[in-house]
């Protein structure tokens, strides 16, 4: 079982990434894709006791943004930032246990895997209220600033979340307090069933940064190295005490909003256009051009991932469901019976 | 009579009233192009056009406040709050501006808006909340909780026509319930409970998805010789106290069932109403409440089942009132 460890060396941009690092990015994205596929198979067999939001197509954002975060940094994922979990060090077994609501899972089935928190890995549980994590991330960053440490908060959210008052209030506060937070918008052009253009009168959400006097940048969300570079710059700025940044990663979800949606009304040409911009193939081609990875190497990575998924799923299936009694714990620090009524 | 699903009954009520009254408009997320994430507003965009059926950005607080303003100007907006947990995001405009406008204008203005709030209880801690008691607690809000297709149609129309803000609670588990529904446009009255099943031993008061659970329990208990009367209040504000008192006067035993958390739940209000009436002397057993015991609704199915009240919990509570 592999658990990704934080990198020991100093921050650097893409040119300084070694071949090993590039291959690691590739593996993390591919792991995300194959995990999603497995989970969807389980969903189709009605074996998933929990819901999920497939991240397929958007893997570059979570991997690129979290790749070089440090211990002590905090990540607040969106409903779709599955790759933040791998990249911060969550294991495949942990994810399967979470997705099954197993006894050994991080929250005993109380919440879905995508809203699970792993405090020891610097991941806060997300709320199902879209965008709620934005002001919360400002608070996390404010606390970091108060503690006079050079950590950062990285907050992910969708284009839909940018319609919330929480987005506007959060960015305003972050700028006023000059706190170390990086806002990473995963603009996948839809919020649930509605095209982003119906929800916002502007093309680029990054433009909104101007209202809050912070840098705003549109990033190619299918290019993991572009995401990586943009986040490196924003993180450096945050660590240096210069305040927040808004990054808008243009991306696309290859699959439906969630597995049991009634329909997917997105135009087939649009889906076809974007599936040609698969973040995994884009990095794969780059690696090949650099001579860092050939077909045989890709097969080996695939095989290793398949084995890890098989082994973890087997172990997960041998684990019992969380005891229903756990549904009644951790409402308060004391048992609910102590509340008198 | 023709039989249709509860989901279609709400849609039909909305559509017929929109044909009759062009000030009625629909506002919410995914409601126009997609027809609603739970399919209630399917076909409405096609019939009524994009001015009256409007897809919203993810801005619950914004469009709830917008609906209050529009209602003050005489439109009759029906907003969809996708899942009940999302009400929490819009509490300020609903509770402060919406519910108080009539009062602070001393009757010179009113807010004829409807908030459609679908309970989706098998979701997660955030969305799967049953918050009807919150709104019952707010002076100015009416609270409607239909459990049959006919009531859903009659009550959605009555809610639209009502001059005050109405929380119209729907329940995902009931959308596919089939039942007879008149084809013509009609309203069902507020504040009139319905006796779903007559009985003499124990009164069970239930609303929304607790009604079929109570009914199933009553069916099983009947086979054991226990006669249960099931009362569905249909609206919590206004509440038909007399119907409950009449029944408890007869049975002397009361069980209240709801999916909302027990502490602060509307069941407590009903129990207090009965305890504060002359019927209290007729009680042969302590009043029982079957409800969520006070936890957030968990996500995984097996935990979810353990938290939400079901038929077996109702049977056990009825038996406790009988000392068996
Ligand atoms: C405040 C709020 N309103 C509505 C919903 C229902 N909902 C769940 S996901 C979603 C769309 C989110 O879109 P976006 O932020 O773009 O993220 P994406 O799903 O595209 O990754 C909606 C409307 C919600 N969870 N929270
Ligand atoms: Mg989106």
């Amino acid at each position: 079982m592999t658990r990704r460890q934080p990198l020991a060396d100093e921050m650097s941009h893409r040119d300084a990434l070694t071949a090993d690092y590039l291959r690691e990015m590739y593996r993390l994205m591919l792991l995300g894709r194959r995990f999603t596929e497995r989970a969807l198979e389980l969903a189709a067999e009605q074996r998933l006791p929990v819901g999920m939001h497939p991240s397929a197509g958007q893997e570059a954002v979570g991997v690129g943004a979290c790749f070089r975060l440090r211990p002590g940094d905090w990540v607040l994922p969106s409903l779709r930032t599955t790759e933040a979990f791998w990249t911060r060090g969550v294991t495949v077994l942990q994810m399967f246990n979470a997705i099954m609501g197993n006894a050994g899972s991080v929250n005993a089935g109380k919440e879905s895997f995508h809203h699970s928190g792993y405090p020891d890995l610097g991941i806060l549980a997300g709320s199902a209220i879209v965008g709620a994590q934005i002001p919360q991330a400002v608070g996390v960053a404010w606390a970091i600033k108060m503690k006079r440490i050079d950590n950062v908060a990285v907050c992910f959210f969708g284009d839909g979340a940018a319609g919330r008052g929480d987005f506007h209030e959060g960015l305003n506060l972050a700028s006023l307090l000059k706190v170390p937070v990086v806002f990473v918008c995963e603009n996948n052009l839809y919020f649930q069933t509605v095209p982003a253009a119906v929800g916002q009168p502007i093309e680029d959400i990054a433009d909104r940064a101007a209202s809050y006097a912070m840098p705003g940048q549109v990033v190619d969300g299918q290019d993991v190295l572009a995401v990586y570079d943009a986040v490196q710059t924003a993180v450096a700025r945050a660590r240096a005490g210069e305040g927040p940044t808004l990054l808008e990663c243009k991306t696309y979800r290859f699959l439906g909003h969630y597995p049991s949606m009634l329909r997917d009304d997105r135009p087939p040409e649009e889906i076809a256009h974007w599936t040609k911009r698969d973040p995994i193939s884009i990095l794969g081609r780059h690696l090949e051009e650099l001579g860092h990875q050939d077909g045989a190497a890709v097969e080996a990575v695939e095989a290793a991932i398949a084995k890890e998924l098989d082994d973890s799923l087997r172990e997960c299936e041998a684990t019992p469901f969380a005891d229903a009694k756990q549904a009644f714990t951790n409402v308060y620090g004391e048992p609910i019976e102590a509340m008198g009524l | 009579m023709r039989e249709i699903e509860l989901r279609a009954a709400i849609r039909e009520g909305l559509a017929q009233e929109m044909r009759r009254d062009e000030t009625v408009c629909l506002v919410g997320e995914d409601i126009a192009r997609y027809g609603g994430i739970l399919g209630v507003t399917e076909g409405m965009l096609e019939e009524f056009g994009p001015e009256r059926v409007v897809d919203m950005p993810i801005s619950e607080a914004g469009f709830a406040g917008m609906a209050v303003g529009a209602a003050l100007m005489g439109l009759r907006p029906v907003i969809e709050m996708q899942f009940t947990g999302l009400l929490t995001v819009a509490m300020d405009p609903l509770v402060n501006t919406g519910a108080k406008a009539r009062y602070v204008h001393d009757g010179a203005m009113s807010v004829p808006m409807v908030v459609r709030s679908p309970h989706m209880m098998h979701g997660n801690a955030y969305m799967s909340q049953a918050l009807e008691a919150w709104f019952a607690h707010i002076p100015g809000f009416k609270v409607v909780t239909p459990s049959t297709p006919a009531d859903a149609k009659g009550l959605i129309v009555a809610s639209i026509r009502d001059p005050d803000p109405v929380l119209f609670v729907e329940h995902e588990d009931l959308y596919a319930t089939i039942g007879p529904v008149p084809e013509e446009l009609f309203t069902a009255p507020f504040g009139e409970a319905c006796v779903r099943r007559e009985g003499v031993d124990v009164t069970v008061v239930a609303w929304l998805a607790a009604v079929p659970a109570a009914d199933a329990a009553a069916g099983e208990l009947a086979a054991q010789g226990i006669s249960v009367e099931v009362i569905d209040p249909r609206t919590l504000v206004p509440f038909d106290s007399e119907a409950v008192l009449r029944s408890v006067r007869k049975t002397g035993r009361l069980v209240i069932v709801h999916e909302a958390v027990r502490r602060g739940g509307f069941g407590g209000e009903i129990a207090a109403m009965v305890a504060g009436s002359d019927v209290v002397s007729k009680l042969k057993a302590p009043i029982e409440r079957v409800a969520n015991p006070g936890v957030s609704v968990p996500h995984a199915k097996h935990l979810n089942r353990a938290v939400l009240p079901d038929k077996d919990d109702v049977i056990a509570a009825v038996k406790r009132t009988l000392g068996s």
Side-chain angles (χ1 to χ4, degrees), chain B residues 113-225:
Chain B
M113 70 185 277
V114 180
V115 183
R116 291 186 36 242
S117 168
H119 278 12
M120 187 263 302
M121 297 308 285
H122 315 293
N124 57 53
Y126 310 92
M127 297 301 166
S128 308
Q129 307 193 52
L131 301 178
E132 60 267 23
W134 285 20
F135 284 78
H137 190 69
I138 302 303
F141 245 100
K142 292 179 182 166
V143 180
V144 176
T145 51
S147 72
T148 67
D151 282 352
K153 179 174 173 186
L155 288 169
I156 189 70
V157 177
S159 299
I160 296 171
R161 293 192 192 167
D162 195 273
D164 290 310
V166 174
L167 183 77
F168 184 87
V169 187
E170 300 170 15
H171 200 298
E172 188 186 18
D173 295 359
L174 297 177
Y175 278 143
T177 304
I178 292 181
V181 180
E183 287 182 38
E184 69 276 9
L185 181 58
F186 68 98
T187 60
F190 282 9
E192 249 181 54
C194 175
V195 179
R196 294 276 169 226
R197 177 192 278 262
E198 291 190 18
V200 294
D201 296 327
V202 182
T203 301
V204 176
V205 178
W207 52 94
L208 295 168
V211 176
D215 196 57
E220 241 175 72
L221 287 162
Q224 300 170 29

Side-chain angles (χ1 to χ4, degrees), chain A residues 159 188 190-191:
Chain A
D159 48 289
N188 60 9
Y190 285 84
F191 53 106

